[in-house]
Amino acid sequence: MKFAQLLLKSSSVSGIPKQVERFAKFSPSPLSMKQFIDFGSANACEKTSFVFLRQELPVRLANIMKEIDFLPDKLLGTPSLKLLISWYSQSLLEIVDFLEKDPDDKDVLTNFTQTLVNVRNRHNNVVPTMAQGVVEYKDAFGVDPVTNQNVQYFLDRFYMSRISTRMLMNQHTLIFDGSVNPAHPKHIGSIDPSCDVVEVIKDAYETSKMLCEQYYLTSPDMEITEVNSKNPDQPLHIVYVPSHLYHMLFELFKNAMRATVETHEMSLTLPPIKVRVALGTEDLTIKMCDRGGGVPLRKIERLFSYMYSTAPSPVHEDNSRNAPLAGFGYGLPISRLYAKYFQGDLQLYSMEGYGTAAVVYLKALSSESVERLPVFNKSALRHYQTSIEADDWCMPSKDPKKLGNSKGTL
């Protein structure tokens, strides 16, 4: 931690505020899945990618770094946040360093690709580090409605920004490192131009089933139904990032399995998890239904809250092989961001006493799958300046008035 503080005070980072101001004046340039595919397959030119990324990555980093300043001072003062800010500052400077370099120089391109790998590795633990900062803040100062609202707004944007910068860096490094992934030779970077949705569902189910059986010694079966309205009897294929889809489904299966097993622990058999996949003209929709007892409506939105996460903090050890973000309870909110990143969504519909339906919406057309990116402007600034006002709807009392005893007249 002391290294982070020293780094921030050192002369090498003294130009950070100036660079943040410089690049935050620009808005990020969202790319569509079709643009990612077209560029990576037909016109894969490393020089073009280099010229785009050396400008675009600083813009995306600077936009979100501007918003970090609007977090509560006491949250910014936690060791985790100081470390995280040092990572972003260092990465911004390293990429900006390439702005004046010659794109025709092969060594420059090679060094740039290696720099992206270094930046990506440096940011590997951004999510748990930020989450740890929130835990440190909560433990010391508690939670109030205004802070909760601001932190929720910020973290959705912060994690979405991170998903987008990793997507750009992954595409460049995977396409231009000179090798082809033998397991997925047709992938363009991290994108599968013909992603078999049902195969990803089965893969996520099998991994979740294995974890469930390790912990509970049993697991529910899965029943899957496919509906292809465009080409009946044809497999359901879309252009997508399989790792993103897997992340969402793995999280939903884990939740569904845990709820099902715990709700029916005294039963001889477990009700199956039912999955229906439908491909329409605009959307590909995945609906996952369990009979795990459901959740009250009052608690649904809290399942997506960072500040109100009830999960215990993870043990500080190398958990790179464990379930992603298992300890912070961030699985659902991050999964929803993966869905929203290319203009989709993830929603939960629950029937308390019965079960829950989780629905993932994805765009069927690659031209409509466009990055959803945060931009720092006056509208964003207003979100951090709002205060919680009195509700303009009557709030129910804990103890309803006994009208029969009232002496007044109506």
Side-chain angles (χ1 to χ4, degrees), residues 159-194:
Y159 290 139
M160 185 70 91
S161 171
R162 179 177 183 270
I163 290 170
S164 80
T165 52
R166 288 184 87 78
M167 180 73 188
L168 291 182
M169 291 188 287
N170 281 338
Q171 287 305 103
H172 185 90
T173 54
L174 288 169
I175 291 170
F176 299 116
D177 72 350
S179 64
V180 175
N181 185 342
H184 305 287
K186 293 185 178 176
H187 280 200
I188 295 169
S190 57
I191 300 171
D192 186 346
S194 186

Side-chain angles (χ1 to χ4, degrees), residues 237-291:
H237 288 177
I238 60 168
V239 180
Y240 209 70
V241 184
S243 59
H244 290 187
L245 180 56
Y246 176 88
H247 186 112
M248 298 175 236
L249 294 167
F250 178 56
E251 181 62 29
L252 295 177
F253 273 124
K254 278 193 304 178
N255 293 343
M257 287 184 183
R258 182 176 65 245
T260 301
V261 173
E262 292 182 355
T263 300
H264 298 272
E265 60 183 346
M266 305 307 291
S267 306
L268 293 175
T269 58
L270 296 174
I273 296 170
K274 297 184 178 182
V275 180
R276 184 179 293 271
V277 195
L279 179 61
T281 306
E282 290 188 29
D283 295 340
L284 181 133
T285 311
I286 303 166
K287 184 178 184 182
M288 183 187 301
C289 300
D290 68 57
R291 288 186 53 193

Side-chain angles (χ1 to χ4, degrees), residues 326-395:
F328 285 106
Y330 280 19
L332 276 174
I334 299 276
S335 294
R336 183 164 66 175
L337 293 181
Y338 273 116
K340 287 185 171 184
Y341 176 46
F342 280 115
Q343 304 298 329
D345 204 355
L346 187 161
Q347 296 179 7
L348 295 182
Y349 304 94
S350 200
M351 298 174 70
E352 189 188 9
Y354 184 77
T356 301
V359 185
V360 176
Y361 297 96
L362 307 176
K363 289 294 183 185
L365 301 175
S366 60
S367 56
E368 293 183 1
S369 298
V370 183
E371 290 183 292
R372 180 182 173 90
L373 303 175
V375 56
F376 179 74
N377 54 23
K378 288 180 181 177
S379 298
L381 186 56
R382 276 198 295 272
H383 274 275
Y384 296 106
Q385 294 172 334
T386 54
S387 58
I388 302 292
E389 297 178 357
D391 203 311
D392 53 0
W393 292 88
C394 289
M395 300 301 287

Side-chain angles (χ1 to χ4, degrees), residues 67-85:
E67 294 195 32
I68 290 177
D69 286 343
F70 293 95
L71 290 174
D73 288 342
K74 289 170 182 174
L75 178 55
L76 290 174
T78 61
S80 297
L81 264 289
K82 287 179 179 178
L83 179 62
L84 191 137
I85 291 167

